[in-house]
Amino acid sequence: MNYEFHFKSRYIILYLSKFTCVIGVWLLDTSFVTSLPAIRGIQAKQEYYVVMFPLKLIPRLLSESEEDYLPPEYRAQRIINKSRIPDIASYILNNPNDYCFSSITVSLDGDMEFIPFSNEPQYKDIGKLFISLDSKLLINDGQHRKAAIEEALKVSPELGDETISVVIFKDIGLKRAQQMFADLNRHAVNTTTSIGILYDHRDQLANITKQIVSDIPLLERYTDKEKVSLPKFSPRIFTLNQIFNTNSRLINKKKGQPISGQEQEFLRQFWTLLTDSINEWKLVMKKELSPVELRANYIVAHGIFLEAIGIVGGFLFQNYPSEWKTFVKKLTLVDWSKSNKESWMGRAFSPTGRINKNSQTIQLTANMIKMNLNLPLTSDELELEKFLQVGDV
């Protein structure tokens, strides 16, 4: 990529391209300019430009904003969340061969001029963008990407020759810049956790979760791989993120952490045995009970059960490594129906019959499962039971 720096206030540029010879007249009222290969586009009747910035130029050309010190009504961007930067930087450094970034969008406050390589219709929007070096660039979208790139370059300077696309708009004032920020984020919707797990091929926990779902017929047939919660009349029973969360509890591992072969084998065996030990799940598999009926009448159709069983299974894995299968098989004797209010009301569901899932009710549900299996409660679990008895939970 060729970057040209010129020292003159008014001059004529003569340059050759493989398309044609063009003479352009440059009329910037500034002493220094830089030129970048660019593509010109039109949005809302206004020109904008796409250029490729080497990563090593990002810290210099997109300098730190002073907006963080201004009240929000005088800013055109949110305050940067510095806690996000290490994660994004680690993403670049840990995946040097297949990281991927979308464009950074900026508004340029200063003089710029686009000169096409050719006036032929098919080439008129390909050319060079000349920008005065005293211009200011405001990041409308991508400030965390920019900061993470800076951090990654400190560790791996060789990344500096790689590029990121930058979309440049003409800055026409604070009001427009604020509107751009609002518009760029207006329709931004985060992907669901389930989709994130489904499309993540680096994380070991995500991969073993997908493999288990694929290998076990009940899970393969009745797991929604896109949603994070199921509507009342859904034909599914589980969501991918629920099974992922259960696995996380079973082996006490989080996303990104390595998983041993022993842990992977435990997860496979646990799910195989679990799906064979919940009678209601087997009835659904035989078409004798519908997922809708299961969801309406039993707690085993809800995420609170899956996370609670993850706690119980994790306890078994740590404390009964050679006996855990015996306990899991006993789950076939447990009454999972909502009509069993003595066991599950105040734990898995509220007096109104509504499933009540939070950290305390998940633990209380796990406690009851452990009591059904004649497993001992920990001191913390016993303390939570005391609060339940006096009605403080």
Side-chain angles (χ1 to χ4, degrees):
M1 187 174 296
N2 182 30
Y3 293 87
E4 301 174 0
F5 294 86
H6 305 273
F7 179 72
K8 281 186 180 179
S9 60
R10 298 174 182 270
Y11 57 88
I12 296 178
I13 304 168
L14 176 64
Y15 57 95
L16 292 173
S17 74
K18 63 181 179 179
F19 305 116
T20 185
C21 177
V22 181
I23 297 178
V25 179
W26 188 250
L27 298 173
L28 287 185
D29 293 325
T30 180
S31 298
F32 292 92
V33 297
T34 182
S35 67
L36 305 100
I39 298 174
R40 174 172 55 184
I42 301 289
Q43 282 187 10
K45 301 178 182 179
Q46 301 290 326
E47 287 189 3
Y48 71 98
Y49 311 94
V50 180
V51 300
M52 294 297 165
F53 274 15
L55 297 188
K56 61 189 175 186
L57 289 185
I58 292 294
R60 284 190 284 168
L61 293 182
L62 303 181
S63 59
E64 196 69 34
S65 173
E66 299 177 358
E67 287 199 337
D68 289 359
Y69 306 101
L70 297 174
E73 63 269 26
Y74 297 112
R75 285 192 264 113
Q77 179 59 279
R78 75 189 95 187
I79 293 176
I80 195 167
N81 181 355
K82 294 185 178 180
S83 65
R84 291 181 56 193
I85 297 171
D87 286 341
I88 305 174
S90 295
Y91 162 71
I92 305 171
L93 295 170
N94 293 336
N95 303 284
N97 296 321
D98 59 355
Y99 74 91
C100 180
F101 273 154
S102 58
S103 300
I104 295 175
T105 302
V106 304
S107 294
L108 186 143
D109 181 9
D111 293 323
M112 61 179 172
E113 182 80 14
F114 177 81
I115 299 179
F117 288 142
S118 169
N119 288 324
E120 295 181 42
Q122 64 268 42
Y123 302 128
K124 66 181 179 63
D125 291 321
I126 303 173
K128 284 193 174 183
L129 182 66
F130 292 85
I131 302 172
S132 63
L133 290 182
D134 59 357
S135 299
K136 293 181 179 179
L137 289 170
L138 168 70
I139 301 178
N140 301 108
D141 183 60
Q143 58 178 348
H144 292 94
R145 269 163 279 160
K146 176 259 185 184
I149 288 169
E150 287 189 65
E151 291 301 309
L153 287 172
K154 293 176 184 177
V155 178
S156 296
E158 63 274 13
L159 292 170
D161 291 329
E162 299 190 7
T163 59
I164 188 170
S165 57
V166 177
V167 182
I168 301 176
F169 290 87
K170 178 68 175 175
D171 187 354
I172 55 176
L174 176 63
K175 184 176 180 180
R176 171 58 179 159
Q178 289 176 336
Q179 188 62 58
M180 283 181 65
F181 176 82
D183 290 346
L184 287 167
N185 289 277
R186 182 185 306 276
H187 303 294
V189 178
N190 291 331
T191 59
T192 67
T193 309
S194 289
I195 283 288
I197 295 165
L198 183 65
Y199 293 169
D200 191 343
H201 301 286
R202 296 193 184 100
D203 181 58
Q204 283 188 288
L205 189 57
N207 286 333
I208 187 62
T209 297
K210 289 179 286 188
Q211 190 63 54
I212 288 169
V213 170
S214 176
D215 290 346
I216 297 178
L218 175 77
L219 300 183
E220 202 281 329
R221 183 180 299 179
Y222 290 105
T223 298
D224 192 307
K225 298 175 182 177
E226 185 169 3
K227 295 184 176 65
V228 294
S229 61
L230 298 174
K232 182 177 180 179
F233 297 105
S234 173
R236 310 288 186 181
I237 302 174
F238 318 101
T239 64
L240 188 60
N241 73 300
Q242 289 172 346
I243 298 173
F244 178 91
N245 291 339
T246 303
N247 286 340
S248 177
R249 291 182 181 274
L250 284 169
I251 58 175
N252 193 29
K253 291 291 178 68
K254 295 181 179 179
K255 179 180 174 66
Q257 292 183 318
I259 300 174
S260 69
Q262 180 188 13
E263 290 168 333
Q264 292 187 37
E265 186 58 29
F266 167 69
L267 291 176
R268 291 189 185 95
Q269 292 184 20
F270 182 87
W271 279 102
T272 299
L273 189 56
L274 179 65
T275 54
D276 194 50
S277 301
I278 304 298
N279 293 326
E280 293 78 10
W281 288 357
K282 292 193 288 185
L283 290 175
V284 172
M285 197 66 176
K286 294 176 183 177
K287 305 293 185 182
E288 296 176 18
L289 185 68
S290 74
V292 175
E293 292 170 326
L294 182 71
R295 200 158 28 251
N297 298 300
Y298 300 92
I299 71 165
V300 291
H302 299 276
I304 190 170
F305 166 77
L306 291 177
E307 294 207 40
I309 206 68
I311 293 174
V312 177
F315 178 82
L316 291 172
F317 183 53
Q318 291 295 323
N319 297 280
Y320 298 87
S322 60
E323 304 170 70
W324 65 267
K325 291 182 181 179
T326 302
F327 289 100
V328 174
K329 289 177 182 178
K330 292 180 181 180
L331 293 173
T332 192
L333 303 175
V334 178
D335 181 0
W336 304 108
S337 67
K338 289 184 180 179
S339 60
N340 181 12
K341 295 181 180 180
E342 183 179 349
S343 292
W344 310 119
M345 191 169 73
R347 298 175 189 268
F349 62 91
S350 67
T352 63
R354 184 180 181 86
I355 294 293
N356 185 22
K357 180 174 174 281
N358 56 52
S359 59
Q360 285 187 330
T361 56
I362 290 170
Q363 185 61 63
L364 285 168
T365 302
N367 289 359
M368 180 53 66
I369 295 173
K370 289 178 73 174
M371 287 186 276
N372 274 278
L373 300 180
N374 294 317
L375 289 168
L377 299 183
T378 66
S379 57
D380 288 342
E381 291 168 348
L382 287 169
E383 194 67 26
L384 189 59
E385 288 296 313
K386 291 179 182 178
F387 280 103
L388 178 65
Q389 300 303 321
V390 298
D392 287 344
V393 175

